[in-house]
Amino acid sequence: MDMSTQIRHFVLTADGNIREFSAEEAAAIAAGASRLPEFADRRLRYLQVTWDAETEAGLQIQTAGAAIRFDGEGRLAEAIPPCDQDRLSRFEHDTCVQWALRGLASPPLTQH
């Protein structure tokens, strides 16, 4: 991955909350080195937003989703492809993408 490629990680809860994690936080969580006690014994939705702003074709954006489950201590127990109940709505997906790209636009910019 070159320096122009950026990645943002989002966890979405059933009650409508969205939490963003840095690449370092996400790596520690995936490796089991970091716990999230607030997510203990829960299954959540995950979205990774990756983009490369320096391509000949312009801005290239890719997203990948998963269903993730945490154990009783808040450690990541599994990440699997999402089933129908885990799919993000179009609104949730677009919200995460827009939030991830928020620093790319030139002022004036209004985010809702």
Side-chain angles (χ1 to χ4, degrees):
M1 176 171 39
D2 64 41
M3 297 303 289
S4 65
T5 300
Q6 300 289 319
I7 301 174
R8 296 289 191 271
H9 306 268
F10 297 91
V11 172
L12 296 91
T13 64
D15 57 359
N17 291 316
I18 300 173
R19 184 164 167 194
E20 181 179 6
F21 293 91
S22 70
E24 294 80 18
E25 291 171 319
I29 293 164
S34 184
R35 293 182 315 119
L36 297 171
E38 66 271 31
F39 297 146
D41 291 321
R42 292 181 68 186
R43 180 181 170 122
L44 302 169
R45 297 166 302 148
Y46 166 81
L47 183 68
Q48 176 180 297
V49 180
T50 305
W51 73 93
D52 189 342
E54 296 184 21
T55 67
E56 290 180 15
L59 182 65
Q60 298 285 320
I61 303 168
Q62 295 179 324
T63 59
I68 57 176
R69 186 178 56 81
F70 292 87
D71 68 13
E73 295 182 359
R75 292 192 195 284
L76 183 64
E78 76 176 340
I80 58 173
C83 64
D84 286 342
Q85 72 185 27
D86 300 314
R87 298 213 188 275
L88 275 64
S89 71
R90 182 79 175 167
F91 176 80
E92 291 169 321
H93 178 274
D94 291 353
T95 297
C96 291
V97 170
Q98 289 176 21
W99 185 253
L101 301 176
R102 68 191 176 275
L104 293 180
S106 300
L109 174 69
T110 303
Q111 290 190 357
H112 300 277

